[in-house]
Amino acid sequence: MSFEIEDHEKMIKTCQAILESCEKPFVWEEEGTYQYGNFKKPFNLFFPHPQIDMELQHLFEKFSGSSYLYDQVKTICTLDAEWVESGTYGLDRDFNCYFSKYTLKTEYVEQVKSYFSHRLNELQNVK
């Protein structure tokens, strides 16, 4: 399988993941805590395609009027819950992780779905 085909398939999978999860809550780890890779992506996207990820960021920027992801999430999402998880790392360090659970506000769900449905159709029709 060529790199271009793999890249194209990853774009399709990222669009599908956005469509499947844009109505579901996602978890955000707050900065300044013990971090599991400092991974912050809306909808808990793991290893999204960079181009599709950038398109999502531009869409969020358009909705929120801010270029900062944190500000975007605070503006276009509803905070559902916050919690702290404590533990030890090894035997010598205590740590606290601060988490927030967000859901995309309903007024933005259809816009995200519409954009990425159209984008998915474009990608699936390219051969």
Side-chain angles (χ1 to χ4, degrees):
M1 188 180 293
S2 76
F3 177 73
E4 286 182 16
I5 293 172
E6 289 176 22
D7 191 56
H8 188 81
E9 287 178 4
K10 188 173 179 183
M11 290 174 80
I12 289 172
K13 287 180 182 179
T14 302
C15 285
Q16 289 169 333
I18 290 169
L19 289 168
E20 291 169 4
S21 57
C22 69
E23 293 181 273
K24 298 176 184 174
F26 62 93
V27 177
W28 186 283
E29 180 189 350
E30 295 298 329
E31 286 189 31
T33 66
Y34 177 78
Q35 298 165 357
Y36 300 109
N38 194 21
F39 194 81
K40 288 189 175 189
K41 294 289 179 188
F43 315 134
N44 297 127
L45 297 175
F46 290 97
F47 307 114
H49 187 279
Q51 181 177 336
I52 301 300
D53 186 42
M54 186 62 70
E55 290 176 30
L56 180 62
Q57 288 180 24
H58 286 302
L59 201 57
F60 278 14
E61 184 175 346
K62 178 182 158 190
F63 295 157
S64 68
S66 175
S67 60
Y68 296 103
L69 184 59
Y70 182 77
D71 293 339
Q72 294 168 4
V73 168
K74 291 287 191 179
T75 302
I76 65 174
C77 296
T78 302
L79 176 63
D80 299 325
E82 292 180 300
W83 69 95
V84 176
E85 294 181 9
S86 300
T88 57
Y89 181 74
L91 298 174
D92 61 342
R93 286 188 287 170
D94 291 332
F95 67 87
N96 292 318
C97 295
Y98 300 90
F99 296 94
S100 302
K101 182 173 79 169
Y102 291 98
T103 305
L104 187 63
K105 291 180 181 176
T106 54
E107 59 262 33
Y108 301 112
V109 170
E110 285 308 314
Q111 294 177 65
V112 169
K113 281 184 166 184
S114 175
Y115 180 89
F116 285 100
S117 293
H118 179 71
R119 191 70 171 99
L120 182 60
N121 285 335
E122 285 178 349
L123 291 166
Q124 288 174 331
N125 291 325
V126 171
K127 297 192 177 184

